[in-house]
Amino acid sequence: MKVVREIKESAMHHFIIFTKGQASFRDFISEAANPGKELITGGPLKVVPYTFGKTYLQFMADERNMLNILSEHNITPLSEKPPLYSSFDRLVEHNGEEKYLVSLLDTDLMKVYSLKRYRKETFDQDQRRILILTHMKEFHQELLKDVHHLDYEEVHPNEIQAAGMMKS
């Protein structure tokens, strides 16, 4: 796939890929997340369908939008960055438990790569499940089918759109 080859040859480390349609979205992820041949960029590798991506960028322009979504889903932020496993976004309380939060709203393949490496031994050490924020639960469950100790919180794209349009 041409885009994957170009990313491999690039000196850049942070990427956001906008795809046209579900087929190109799935094809890119299939190629870039191929076990044993994962595309490693050294920074985020976000893959979003074009229409959702435009909305998501507006949403992410203000951290308060994410905090509002967390609040609406009864998720309480406890810290900005987890102390032990820094690949995760933050430590939160959800359903009475401390968990690591990982937002896959942007299907960041470097986060997926890190999640696949969060092994049972690490879980046994710190006893924290991982809460995945997603708007594509079935897709992300399939992508992470070999990873256990995950919980999923679905965020509807309309919530992202509404939050991104709100002005303070």
Side-chain angles (χ1 to χ4, degrees):
M1 181 177 276
K2 183 180 178 186
V3 175
V4 171
R5 188 175 63 252
E6 290 174 355
I7 291 172
K8 285 179 181 176
E9 295 170 357
S10 175
M12 295 187 297
H13 300 287
H14 299 262
F15 296 90
I16 184 163
I17 307 297
F18 293 92
T19 62
K20 285 186 185 177
Q22 284 298 314
S24 63
F25 176 81
R26 290 178 187 278
D27 288 349
F28 180 85
I29 290 176
S30 176
E31 175 92 11
N34 187 2
K37 298 180 182 178
E38 293 94 344
L39 179 58
I40 308 298
T41 60
L45 176 56
K46 301 174 181 193
V47 186
V48 291
Y50 179 74
T51 303
F52 176 76
K54 291 189 308 182
T55 302
Y56 180 74
L57 286 178
Q58 290 175 328
F59 170 81
M60 289 305 294
D62 188 341
E63 173 70 8
R64 292 175 295 186
N65 292 333
M66 180 60 82
L67 295 175
N68 289 337
I69 290 287
L70 295 177
S71 177
E72 289 171 11
H73 286 262
N74 297 314
I75 301 168
T76 306
L78 299 176
S79 73
E80 284 298 312
K81 274 285 184 192
L84 180 61
Y85 212 80
S86 62
S87 296
F88 301 150
D89 297 336
R90 62 178 74 217
L91 198 57
V92 297
E93 184 175 315
H94 177 252
N95 293 338
E97 275 184 76
E98 277 189 14
K99 301 177 183 179
Y100 293 123
L101 177 72
V102 176
S103 173
L104 287 182
L105 294 171
D106 54 15
T107 309
D108 184 343
L109 294 181
M110 294 302 92
K111 288 180 183 177
V112 169
Y113 183 77
S114 291
L115 285 164
K116 288 181 176 183
R117 275 137 193 80
Y118 185 68
R119 299 281 180 224
K120 182 183 183 318
E121 297 78 23
T122 309
F123 174 73
D124 288 344
Q125 181 182 352
D126 69 359
Q127 295 294 304
R128 288 192 179 111
R129 296 180 63 78
I130 301 167
L131 180 62
I132 306 292
L133 218 53
T134 178
H135 68 289
M136 302 170 68
K137 183 178 177 180
E138 288 178 11
F139 179 78
H140 289 134
Q141 282 177 319
E142 178 61 25
L143 197 59
L144 296 165
K145 66 182 177 232
D146 296 326
V147 182
H148 306 285
H149 40 266
L150 300 179
D151 296 321
Y152 292 84
E153 184 70 26
E154 284 195 271
V155 177
H156 195 279
N158 290 343
E159 293 178 78
I160 302 296
Q161 185 172 14
M165 293 174 69
M166 293 175 69
K167 305 285 184 230
S168 300

